[in-house]
Amino acid sequence: MGYRRGAKESRVNRLRIPSSRPTALRAALSAAAVAALTFSGCKGEENTCDFWMKQLNKTKKEKQAIEKMGELGCQAAIPTLEKMWDETLYQRELLQSVKQLGASDGTLTIVKKALEDADYGPVALTIAIDWKVSGLDATLSALLRSPKMLDLRRDALNALIRLGFAETSVDTLWWLAGQDPAQQGIEVNQKAAEELARIDWSKQPEDVSKTAAQMLLRTLLMRDAKGVTAQAAARNALRAIGPHAVEPVLKAFRGDDSELDEFAESRGIPRWKYTHGHELVELLWDLGDARASKPLAGSIGMSLDAPPDVARLDESQQEDWIIANQKRLATTSVAVGALPSEDAVSAAVEILSRKGIPLDPAQFSNAGLALALQGTKSAREQLWALFREGDADLLPKRTRLYELKAMVAQEKDKEKRAPLASEHDKLLDELEKAEVSKAKWVMNLSVSLGPGDAESFKAEVTDLQKGPLSTAGKAALPAGYAAAVAECNADASCYLKILTAAQGTLTTIPVTITKAGEEKEVEYKRLIEEAKPITADIAAKEDELTKKSEALTQMRTDFDESKKSNTKLKELGHKSLQDFADIYNAELEAYDLGKDALKKLYESRNAVIDKLIPFDERLVASQAALHKLEKAVLMLAHFPEVRAEAVAAITALNKEARGLPKEQAGFFQQLRQWSMITLDRITTKDDLQAIEDVRAIEGKDGQTYFSIRLDAIAIRLRRAAGVPLQPPTKAAADAPAADPVPK
């Protein structure tokens, strides 16, 4: 180790005056001295504190003397050692002796001085931890904030935590969590955030909680040069802060946090990462505060046009932006469903009612799902109103269509039938377009179905004549959801029975669905082969009719010209216009007969294809059985009187689904997603054990999407129950040994 002080250099380089005595004389004198010591008993004096304290200022024996102070336990030497700290070259040995001497006011003073030294700070930290020194929080906090002690931050932070100073050093912890990982290492950010997740935030002032939340948002976004993040730790800490974190997170999500904007810009983090990404949406869902519901619902309607910094990138580089928006929209609709609020209902309705601004399909479906998952009476009424919008204009059109259909069938005169058929076809196109538009609502409408809605759904969707609406209503998910509501209506025990009856049999559902799908696929391939000759005939007939149509068009043109010129008539080889007309009408008759033949061919092929209907129905029925379970889970969010039973039934199904083979477990993703929403809405502190039990099973092989969601629920229930939000930090005595003293 190099010399660090001028005083020490002068001592080391002290001039010695060479002796002028003969060497022999010196040897004799030395021998005499040894003999004298041997016979006088002075050798024993070397093992006393008095002897070695006298050697402390003697250069040759200074190191040995310092070591002897510790070995002999020389408490009286402590004031001298304290004075020597700034001058001696043997600070490491001095610290070792201090450790042997044990904790006292004097030795603590030396340890505190050593903490300020980059070289000996780690040794001093080890001593402080071993002694379990109290009152060091201010010293350690100052050390942690010092830009000169960056290399010591990790060890100092571990010491602060192991000595139990976290609760009194919250401001230092959140400050550390938000510092640049390039300087201190991302491990420090992670560790600080992890400890903040263990703080009892109910004892912290609101302004401290909000400031900590604001700083942790930085931690959430940052990563080091290798791409390592502290995101999970920051998310857990923000969850722990709870309600006081909602406002800072919302402020960042809305893009109103200028300090975060400056931080992000200085580190090259795109602003859209937190204003258009899914991370803050998930965090707001974690916090479980209904104040977030309206702004979240409103964000679904945000423009999907790329901001300038993204728009300048080429298409491949815009991929992150596109994926971020897709995840945000999908996450937002579900989060809003978990946070019921009348304000959110209004926000979703406003988006869905827009006329001048066309909605992206993803915005339409997710705004509708957010409204549907609210599931309240007002939300259902609003969704039905949107579905029925324009029905007043459709009813007379539909009546007129039925009239025209009958008139076309009765009219034998082709000339009179043609305009009727034309009006019928035009009206049919209009109605089909309107039905296609209405059919887009069916999925979300079925999600929203509540007591009293089943009959309306049947009358206005599934019972309609064949068309887009009826087809949409008979799909597996709407059919299953409608079946659950039709069966149970407002009977909570009925929905419970649907779930409890499925317990222990979940594995049969994917097996049945898979089998039905495979059987349908086999039959479909067989029918394709059976229909091949008919398909070939259809292709030939269509080709023939196309040529006839082109010929008839040309004949009509020639006929019109022949009426104006006999020359043209003669060129075409016709005797008279009547002769030409007869030929044309004969060809037209043949064309019509060809159309009839084509129609019969289509009917023949459809008859073959219709053989697939029973297979399709079996598949839909097997899928609908699964969807019926999903709807029962959603419905139990609206019956608080059976909360305990509902929690038991839902968690039991989730445990069972988690234990299925991977290829079967995937069938139950929607059921488990809806489970998270219902559990979010109905659980109380009395359900904490049930949530922690299912969480333990869910996370047995590592963190999953559902374990994260269950963590968030458990934290809120723990807060309500007044129990620690996270497992407590190990006591110093039980904690792993500190890092070895650096050499």
Side-chain angles (χ1 to χ4, degrees):
M1 182 178 295
Y3 305 128
R4 299 185 302 162
R5 298 173 179 83
K8 292 182 181 179
E9 292 179 15
S10 64
R11 289 175 60 188
V12 171
N13 297 319
R14 187 180 299 151
L15 294 175
R16 303 289 184 182
I17 301 174
S19 173
S20 58
R21 296 179 182 180
T23 302
L25 179 60
R26 279 186 284 146
L29 289 172
S30 295
V34 169
L37 284 171
T38 301
F39 293 104
S40 67
C42 290
K43 186 175 181 180
E45 290 180 10
E46 288 191 14
N47 289 320
T48 66
C49 290
D50 287 342
F51 175 83
W52 286 107
M53 283 179 65
K54 292 175 183 177
Q55 311 303 314
L56 283 174
N57 293 319
K58 296 181 179 179
T59 306
K60 283 187 176 180
K61 292 190 175 182
E62 182 179 329
K63 178 176 180 291
Q64 186 179 5
I66 289 173
E67 291 173 336
K68 285 293 184 179
M69 294 301 98
E71 292 173 12
L72 298 173
C74 303
Q75 297 291 327
I78 292 174
T80 304
L81 294 174
E82 182 182 341
K83 292 176 183 177
M84 290 179 68
W85 174 259
D86 292 328
E87 297 296 327
T88 184
L89 292 177
Y90 306 111
Q91 290 176 315
R92 182 179 301 282
E93 290 76 7
L94 195 153
L95 272 178
Q96 187 60 38
S97 289
V98 164
K99 182 177 181 179
Q100 292 173 309
L101 288 169
S104 67
D105 289 344
T107 55
L108 283 176
T109 301
I110 298 172
V111 168
K112 288 180 180 179
K113 286 183 177 181
L115 285 173
E116 298 173 2
D117 190 298
D119 291 325
Y120 300 108
V123 184
L125 285 171
T126 303
I127 295 171
I129 292 171
D130 288 345
W131 288 354
K132 300 178 183 177
V133 177
S134 61
L136 271 184
D137 47 346
T139 301
L140 288 173
S141 289
L143 178 64
L144 286 163
R145 290 173 180 263
S146 171
K148 298 179 180 179
M149 307 294 281
L150 285 169
D151 292 341
L152 197 58
R153 271 192 187 170
R154 187 183 67 170
D155 292 331
L157 178 56
N158 285 332
L160 182 112
I161 294 168
R162 294 178 68 186
L163 290 170
F165 299 142
E167 288 283 348
T168 57
S169 308
V170 171
D171 57 340
T172 297
L173 289 173
W174 60 249
W175 182 85
L176 284 171
Q179 296 307 298
D180 189 349
Q183 294 182 344
Q184 65 182 16
I186 195 69
E187 300 86 358
V188 174
N189 302 84
Q190 291 169 338
K191 190 71 175 176
E194 286 169 4
E195 200 59 31
L196 286 168
R198 295 186 175 92
I199 297 296
D200 183 355
W201 289 95
S202 66
K203 297 177 182 178
Q204 297 295 327
E206 181 177 345
D207 61 332
V208 171
S209 298
K210 288 183 174 179
T211 303
Q214 196 170 14
M215 188 62 76
L216 282 164
L217 286 169
R218 299 184 180 189
T219 317
L220 196 74
L221 296 171
M222 64 178 55
R223 61 182 64 235
D224 68 8
K226 296 180 180 178
V228 180
T229 75
Q231 190 177 86
R235 183 174 177 178
N236 286 335
L238 285 160
R239 284 174 173 174
I241 293 173
H244 290 153
V246 174
E247 191 176 311
V249 177
L250 275 175
K251 189 176 180 182
F253 183 62
R254 289 192 297 255
D256 295 334
D257 187 339
S258 58
E259 291 184 13
L260 185 62
D261 289 345
E262 290 175 12
F263 167 83
E265 185 177 3
S266 68
R267 283 160 178 77
I269 301 170
R271 189 169 179 269
W272 59 263
K273 286 279 187 182
Y274 49 94
T275 60
H276 286 72
H278 65 96
E279 288 86 355
L280 294 195
V281 176
E282 289 185 356
L283 183 54
L284 288 166
W285 185 3
D286 288 350
L287 295 170
D289 196 307
R291 285 178 293 170
S293 195
K294 180 181 179 180
L296 282 174
S299 73
I300 296 174
M302 288 193 303
S303 172
L304 298 184
D305 293 336
D309 58 331
V310 177
R312 286 192 292 268
L313 303 175
D314 61 46
E315 192 171 328
S316 62
Q317 292 176 308
Q318 293 184 31
E319 189 67 20
D320 285 350
W321 154 262
I322 294 168
I323 292 173
N325 271 287
Q326 290 171 343
K327 288 184 176 180
R328 174 181 60 82
L329 288 169
T331 306
T332 300
S333 60
V334 182
V336 172
L339 305 171
S341 156
E342 287 303 308
D343 288 338
V345 171
S346 300
V349 170
E350 186 277 323
I351 294 169
L352 293 166
S353 302
R354 290 178 185 174
K355 303 299 181 187
I357 308 173
L359 284 179
D360 180 88
Q363 291 176 307
F364 173 84
S365 61
N366 283 291
L369 182 58
L371 184 58
L373 288 172
Q374 289 276 304
T376 60
K377 187 173 184 292
S378 63
R380 298 194 335 259
E381 288 174 349
Q382 291 284 6
L383 199 49
W384 274 106
L386 289 164
F387 172 72
R388 290 167 175 154
E389 190 176 311
D391 279 4
D393 295 331
L394 292 178
L395 183 58
K397 289 183 178 181
R398 194 170 281 120
T399 302
R400 176 59 178 164
L401 182 70
Y402 296 148
E403 292 174 353
L404 287 168
K405 185 176 181 180
M407 292 167 68
V408 169
Q410 292 173 1
E411 184 58 63
K412 303 302 180 186
D413 189 308
K414 289 184 180 180
E415 291 188 6
K416 292 181 179 179
R417 189 170 66 230
L420 294 174
S422 177
E423 184 183 353
H424 173 276
D425 292 347
K426 182 179 178 182
L427 202 52
L428 183 63
D429 288 343
E430 288 181 18
L431 286 169
E432 187 166 323
K433 185 177 179 181
E435 281 203 3
V436 167
S437 182
K438 282 175 69 71
K440 294 175 183 177
W441 295 93
V442 169
M443 191 71 74
N444 287 330
L445 193 63
S446 66
V447 172
S448 78
L449 292 177
D453 290 338
E455 284 301 316
S456 298
F457 191 79
K458 184 173 182 293
E460 299 181 43
V461 181
T462 54
D463 279 359
L464 291 179
Q465 289 188 355
K466 189 175 181 180
L469 260 180
S470 177
T471 301
K474 291 173 182 173
L477 187 145
Y481 285 18
V485 178
E487 180 181 332
C488 298
N489 199 28
D491 184 356
S493 64
C494 177
Y495 293 110
L496 276 172
K497 187 176 179 181
I498 291 174
L499 299 188
T500 54
Q503 290 175 17
T505 66
L506 287 189
T507 187
T508 64
I509 293 175
V511 169
T512 303
I513 293 173
T514 301
K515 182 181 178 183
E518 290 171 348
E519 289 175 348
K520 178 183 174 181
E521 183 65 20
V522 169
E523 181 64 8
Y524 174 76
K525 290 178 179 177
R526 189 190 71 76
L527 293 174
I528 288 294
E529 290 300 315
E530 183 180 333
K532 270 186 178 179
I534 306 174
T535 301
D537 290 343
I538 287 172
K541 182 58 70 176
E542 285 178 339
D543 186 54
E544 176 190 328
L545 289 174
T546 298
K547 292 176 180 177
K548 281 186 176 293
S549 176
E550 292 171 355
L552 283 168
T553 301
Q554 185 59 52
M555 286 179 71
R556 184 73 198 195
T557 302
D558 291 342
F559 182 78
D560 290 339
E561 290 182 12
S562 296
K563 286 194 295 185
K564 301 174 184 177
S565 168
N566 286 329
T567 304
K568 181 67 174 178
L569 188 63
K570 290 178 181 179
E571 285 177 3
L572 294 170
H574 297 296
K575 297 176 182 178
S576 64
L577 279 175
Q578 185 59 49
D579 178 51
F580 197 172
D582 291 342
I583 294 171
Y584 175 81
N585 289 333
E587 290 296 324
L588 183 59
E589 189 76 26
Y591 178 75
D592 288 340
L593 289 172
K595 285 175 65 178
D596 291 340
L598 180 61
K599 182 180 178 182
K600 289 177 181 178
L601 285 171
Y602 273 118
E603 289 171 352
S604 297
R605 189 170 68 174
N606 289 341
V608 174
I609 294 172
D610 285 347
K611 293 178 184 179
L612 194 64
I613 291 175
F615 293 86
D616 193 45
E617 288 175 344
R618 281 197 290 273
L619 177 58
V620 169
S622 63
Q623 293 169 329
L626 170 59
H627 296 312
K628 188 176 178 181
L629 286 176
E630 296 167 3
K631 183 58 177 173
V633 168
L634 278 179
M635 290 304 296
L636 286 171
H638 308 290
F639 298 98
E641 65 273 18
V642 295
R643 174 196 54 77
E645 296 91 336
V647 171
I650 292 170
T651 53
L653 283 180
N654 275 264
K655 290 176 185 177
E656 187 176 344
R658 176 66 176 83
L660 293 175
K662 188 175 181 180
E663 64 274 11
Q664 293 187 355
F667 284 81
F668 298 96
Q669 292 295 96
Q670 189 70 76
L671 181 141
R672 301 181 74 199
Q673 180 72 286
W674 288 174
S675 295
M676 297 303 109
I677 291 176
T678 296
L679 291 174
D680 251 313
R681 292 173 67 159
I682 69 173
T683 48
T684 69
K685 61 183 181 180
D686 296 331
D687 305 307
L688 176 58
Q689 191 59 56
I691 294 300
E692 293 193 332
D693 287 347
V694 72
R695 165 63 183 85
I697 292 172
E698 179 59 43
K700 64 180 180 178
D701 298 323
Q703 198 173 64
T704 69
Y705 169 82
F706 294 110
S707 72
I708 292 172
R709 292 262 44 85
L710 289 164
D711 275 340
I713 297 172
I715 285 172
R716 294 206 301 277
L717 299 185
R718 281 176 164 272
R719 184 180 294 111
V723 297
L725 304 186
Q726 297 281 349
T729 307
K730 288 184 178 181
D734 300 325
D739 290 340
V741 175
K743 302 298 182 185

